[in-house]
Amino acid sequence: MLLSLVLHTYSMRYVLPAAVMMGTAPTYVLAWGAWRLLSAVLPARFYREVDDRLYTIYQSMVLFFFENYTGVQVIIYGDLPKNKENVIYLSNHQCTVDWIIADMLAIRQNALGHVRYVLKDGLKWLPLYGWYFSQHGGVYVKRSAKFNEKEMREKLRTQMKAETPMYLVIFPEGTRYNPEIPKVIADSQSFAEKEGLAILKHVLTPRVKATHVAIDTMKDYLDAVYDVTVAYEGTVDHKGQRKLAPSMTEFLCKECPRVHIFIDRIELKDIPEEQMYMRRWLHERFEVKDKLLIEFYDAKDSKRRNKFPGKSVHSKLSLKKTLPSLLFLGGLTASMLLTESGRKLYVKTWIYGTLIGCLWVSIKP
């Protein structure tokens, strides 16, 4: 019975946040959908401005749970500008929490509403979220030979034409680094060796296509590229071997005490334009990441482990930036569910919103 109580208490750590975040999704989609219809006759930039504000509200609520609720310590190294910029955000990829890390940095620059993702194509089928990410300016891409460069360029040009603020998040590895799937790591290393590239230990060999298309298309629109390296503390087993990074569920269960984020701001003039040379440049950036992560996980001196070299700042997110969004969306959702007509509308939004979304993304990327 004691074990059952412990397990129940543990599960409740993530059940409440998950219920609130998913439970408010129909409310959010209804508010966004109403604005989408109202703004149909207005210039695109007006839609984008309000859409970014709505997105800020929802993601601020998400960050309430991932930062304030969990109590995770966010340790930032390097140069994170205080002012918002049009940027491409390149990061190593190891778990779904990596998406949230981009939000953590963006909110500290007052640019949370500007975050848009380059996502693998299969995620467009997520109920409600998949369709909305595309409407918010996200780009779905297929891997390798199925990658559609023309579609991605057109989507980005549409965003620039609408003067959309850009905080475009790309994970160039194309898939997550997972120590529990050594074949993926081995195949990545074999490919690097075959291509005459440095073999990487704690990251996968990056793919250049999406990065090149994004930088090449928006080179006159961007202010910089952020090269971001993320490490989650507590991801080493008793033998000193790296283990799987926390899932969103584990993160919400407070299994990660600290997350370390190293930011290197890179000027566009320092990035080669030709894809062949950009590929080499991108791999060199991942070599830098690999060295940082080797220091973090494998430093011979134990005092140098679990941190990146250089000065760091413990950045705490104020409740003023997150709690109002939680109360607003939570209150709006609760008021809907208190009436029979509201409950019917809520359920219909889940059902028809998902169906319409799936139909839309199957017709229009």
Side-chain angles (χ1 to χ4, degrees):
M1 184 174 179
L2 180 60
L3 178 60
S4 298
L5 181 61
V6 170
L7 291 174
H8 177 71
T9 303
Y10 177 85
S11 66
M12 285 303 294
R13 288 182 176 181
Y14 71 86
V15 169
L16 176 62
V20 174
M21 286 186 285
M22 294 186 68
T24 55
T27 311
Y28 179 81
V29 169
L30 278 171
W32 166 78
W35 170 243
R36 192 75 170 108
L37 291 172
L38 288 170
S39 64
V41 295
L42 300 175
R45 66 183 181 88
F46 288 107
Y47 162 72
R48 287 297 175 201
E49 286 177 8
V50 176
D51 174 54
D52 284 358
R53 290 182 182 278
L54 289 171
Y55 188 77
T56 298
I57 292 172
Y58 187 84
Q59 292 302 119
S60 295
M61 179 196 66
V62 169
L63 287 175
F64 169 83
F65 289 112
F66 277 90
E67 283 206 56
N68 303 118
Y69 172 80
T70 63
V72 66
Q73 293 183 34
V74 177
I75 315 297
I76 297 177
Y77 306 75
D79 305 313
L80 180 66
K82 293 182 179 180
N83 299 322
K84 60 185 75 175
E85 301 181 286
N86 286 324
V87 300
I88 289 175
Y89 170 114
L90 302 176
S91 175
N92 58 314
H93 192 25
Q94 52 206 307
C95 62
T96 50
V97 182
D98 294 334
W99 295 7
I100 307 298
I101 300 300
D103 288 343
M104 289 180 178
L105 293 182
I107 197 171
R108 287 163 169 81
Q109 295 177 274
N110 294 315
L112 185 55
H114 304 170
V115 175
R116 310 172 210 283
Y117 298 94
V118 174
L119 300 161
K120 62 182 180 182
D121 192 65
L123 292 173
K124 69 185 181 184
W125 304 110
L126 283 171
L128 298 185
Y129 294 97
W131 178 35
Y132 175 71
F133 281 145
S134 174
Q135 294 297 298
H136 182 62
V139 182
Y140 288 108
V141 296
K142 295 179 180 179
R143 295 174 181 170
S144 304
K146 295 182 179 180
F147 177 81
N148 193 321
E149 178 178 327
K150 182 181 178 182
E151 280 185 5
M152 184 173 178
R153 286 188 185 275
E154 287 178 354
K155 183 89 183 243
L156 295 175
R157 284 173 183 144
T158 300
Q159 304 300 325
M160 291 189 292
K161 186 177 180 181
E163 300 180 5
T164 304
M166 191 60 64
Y167 203 103
L168 188 65
V169 178
I170 302 177
F171 300 111
E173 290 160 285
T175 191
R176 299 176 214 162
Y177 178 98
N178 186 343
E180 295 180 1
I181 310 179
K183 185 180 184 305
V184 173
I185 299 171
D187 288 348
S188 175
Q189 292 174 339
S190 296
F191 177 79
E193 185 176 21
K194 179 182 176 182
E195 296 295 313
L197 301 168
I199 294 174
L200 307 172
K201 180 180 180 182
H202 286 293
V203 290
L204 301 177
T205 303
R207 307 178 187 195
V208 74
K209 285 184 180 179
T211 303
H212 176 259
V213 170
I215 293 177
D216 185 60
T217 305
M218 299 192 295
K219 57 190 175 186
D220 296 325
Y221 192 73
L222 298 169
D223 296 305
V225 168
Y226 292 172
D227 183 9
V228 180
T229 306
V230 180
Y232 300 93
E233 201 165 321
T235 51
V236 175
D237 63 22
H238 66 282
K239 295 181 181 179
Q241 297 297 311
R242 185 176 172 185
K243 61 181 183 179
L244 191 63
S247 64
M248 285 190 177
T249 298
E250 291 166 337
F251 199 93
L252 289 170
C253 286
K254 308 181 182 184
E255 291 192 12
C256 178
R258 282 170 288 278
V259 58
H260 298 255
I261 311 169
F262 193 103
I263 304 105
D264 194 357
R265 184 184 183 278
I266 301 170
E267 298 282 349
L268 269 296
K269 63 181 178 62
D270 296 326
I271 302 175
E273 293 188 11
E274 294 293 329
Q275 181 171 322
M276 178 177 66
Y277 297 112
M278 189 182 290
R279 180 193 184 201
R280 174 69 64 176
W281 169 85
L282 184 61
H283 195 85
E284 288 172 353
R285 295 309 312 175
F286 270 72
E287 286 181 57
V288 174
K289 292 180 185 297
D290 203 41
K291 289 176 182 176
L292 287 170
L293 292 168
I294 287 172
E295 182 79 4
F296 187 91
Y297 292 112
D298 306 327
K300 293 181 179 179
D301 184 353
S302 60
K303 293 181 181 178
R304 289 165 55 190
R305 289 181 210 146
N306 290 319
K307 61 181 179 181
F308 290 132
K311 294 182 180 180
S312 64
V313 175
H314 176 201
S315 179
K316 190 172 182 179
L317 185 61
S318 171
L319 276 170
K320 293 178 181 179
K321 289 196 171 186
T322 59
L323 186 58
S325 295
L326 171 65
L327 296 176
F328 175 73
L329 282 174
L332 206 57
T333 302
S335 64
M336 271 187 69
L337 297 176
L338 286 175
T339 65
E340 185 178 352
S341 58
R343 288 191 292 271
K344 287 181 179 178
L345 180 60
Y346 181 88
V347 172
K348 286 180 179 178
T349 302
W350 262 118
I351 296 172
Y352 295 117
T354 298
L355 292 175
I356 293 170
C358 288
L359 180 63
W360 181 273
V361 296
S362 66
I363 297 172
K364 188 173 182 179

